Amino acid sequence: MPERSVVIGSAQGLHARPAKIFVHIAAQQPVPVSIRVGDRAPVPASSILGVLSLGAAQGTEVTLSADGDGAAEVLDELADLLSRDLDAEEPDHA
């Protein structure tokens, strides 16, 4: 199962707005994705409550994992998203 580790780039961490953007995009992927902090149990990346429960502040390293066709590309896209400061970006239609 492919994995990607990424450091949260959003200034306020993975709180409501960045989490909503991440969950929305994760839910649209063709493979299920999970996210975890450290050795804690992974949560579905498509679950807003699960993602918020991670308490991932700016600088926290999270690990994404997925399995299935195209998993590596999905993880690359989501890792890139989490590495950016989503608080500083203009809202889009996500």
Side-chain angles (χ1 to χ4, degrees):
M1 176 179 299
E3 291 187 345
R4 298 288 182 281
S5 292
V6 62
V7 174
I8 300 298
S10 288
Q12 299 300 315
L14 203 48
H15 68 96
R17 182 172 177 269
K20 178 184 176 213
I21 294 167
F22 172 74
V23 166
H24 177 77
I25 293 172
Q28 295 177 341
Q29 301 307 313
V31 294
V33 179
S34 63
I35 181 172
R36 72 175 192 273
V37 173
D39 58 2
R40 291 173 44 192
V43 298
S46 59
S47 166
I48 188 71
L49 292 178
V51 170
L52 289 173
S53 75
L54 296 172
Q58 182 184 37
T60 301
E61 184 176 80
V62 298
T63 302
L64 302 169
S65 58
D67 199 17
D69 290 341
E73 293 81 8
V74 166
L75 294 177
D76 288 343
E77 177 184 349
L78 292 173
D80 177 65
L81 181 71
L82 290 177
S83 71
R84 301 191 326 241
D85 185 355
L86 298 175
D87 289 310
E89 295 183 13
E90 290 296 319
D92 60 9
H93 302 294

